[in-house]
Amino acid sequence: MKLVNGFDLMEYAKKHNYGLPAFNTTNLEMTYAIAKGLMNANLPGYIQISSNNLRLSNPEIIAQIARDAVKKSEVPIALHLDHGKSFEDVKACCEAGFTSIMIDMSALPYEENIRESRRAAEYCHFYGLPVEVELGALRGKEEDVVNEADCKTDPDMVADYVERTGCDLLAVSIGNVHGLCLNPEIDIPLLEKINRVCKVPLVLHGGSGIPKEVIWECKKYGLIKINYGSDLRKEFIRTFGEAYEENHNEHDVIHLSVDSVENVSKKAQELVTMINEH
């Protein structure tokens, strides 16, 4: 199967009541592992990569790897730009063949956030691609950026923000965090308030570490997409780290790379199955 358009993936998820995991990749091994995990589970989801991780490759390379990784898939899988940090990154990913886009201007003042997010949305809609935006901020480490502030999404701002940005998905801050060093404390009543006034599906970043029962409850209130990065990266790094600890002269890169694909794919399969058990 080809990479599917993000709008089509969301419609498929709504029809079958699926929660869609979005798994962060960095390289070839992670990309193939994510696709393998989704295919083994026979459940849909996203392969995604952030602007920061594109430093190691570029949108064209990741898109080509992703297209190859999903060609045997019988379940829909989209390729998403996560935390797009500039309009230039958005354009490059659209042109490379990404099928879903996030523009993250949450660090900007409100009016600037709206202006830049709307600019990206109008551009992506010309290509028929959905756009995710973010209102609020998450504590923790996101790539190279450490944020100690806990700025939850204000439900009183949501309707205006969604309308003026023209977005198709809204990433919210409700006590979720980036990374594995902080404990998420999900505010379900806040999510319920946001859902009542939001016209588009909701996204939860920082899925790693959130109990499955909490994810199941969140799905009742407009949540369609859950991002996972740290859980998969930990599996990738563990594969090489354990081999080095066992033998400091270990140098069999291909063997360990194949093992890392297997280990990461098992974690992806576990997570997509878990969020859709209920």
Side-chain angles (χ1 to χ4, degrees), residues 20-24 30 48 82 138-141 175-186 204-212 214-215 223 225-235 264 267-268 270-272 274-275:
L20 295 170
F23 294 124
N24 281 87
M30 292 283 288
Q48 65 178 19
D82 183 36
L138 273 62
R139 291 186 302 133
K141 185 176 181 181
N176 42 319
V177 297
H178 281 127
L180 296 173
C181 296
L182 297 172
N183 292 321
E185 298 178 0
I186 304 302
L204 198 63
H205 287 216
S208 298
I210 299 177
K212 61 185 180 181
V214 175
I215 295 294
L223 181 68
K225 177 174 177 279
I226 310 100
N227 287 15
Y228 291 96
S230 300
D231 279 340
L232 272 63
R233 291 169 180 152
K234 183 179 177 181
E235 287 300 305
V264 173
K267 177 57 68 172
E270 173 191 323
L271 291 169
V272 65
M274 176 268 289
I275 64 176

Side-chain angles (χ1 to χ4, degrees), residues 155-265:
D156 292 335
M157 301 171 70
V158 167
D160 178 71
Y161 183 73
V162 169
E163 178 68 27
R164 292 173 64 192
T165 59
C167 68
D168 306 292
L169 300 103
L170 177 66
V172 295
S173 174
I174 56 169
N176 42 319
V177 297
H178 281 127
L180 296 173
C181 296
L182 297 172
N183 292 321
E185 298 178 0
I186 304 302
D187 188 339
I188 299 291
L190 176 57
L191 180 65
E192 186 177 3
K193 289 179 183 178
I194 293 169
N195 185 49
R196 283 202 296 265
V197 297
C198 188
K199 296 180 179 179
V200 300
L202 302 176
V203 180
L204 198 63
H205 287 216
S208 298
I210 299 177
K212 61 185 180 181
E213 294 81 5
V214 175
I215 295 294
W216 296 341
E217 189 69 14
C218 288
K219 286 172 64 180
K220 298 177 183 178
Y221 303 111
L223 181 68
I224 196 170
K225 177 174 177 279
I226 310 100
N227 287 15
Y228 291 96
S230 300
D231 279 340
L232 272 63
R233 291 169 180 152
K234 183 179 177 181
E235 287 300 305
F236 180 82
I237 292 171
R238 180 182 65 81
T239 305
F240 288 84
E242 289 182 354
Y244 178 76
E245 288 301 315
E246 290 178 10
N247 177 11
H248 284 194
N249 289 319
E250 178 62 72
H251 59 278
D252 188 350
V253 174
I254 184 61
H255 180 262
L256 291 175
S257 294
V258 170
D259 286 350
S260 72
V261 170
E262 185 64 22
N263 291 336
V264 173
S265 70

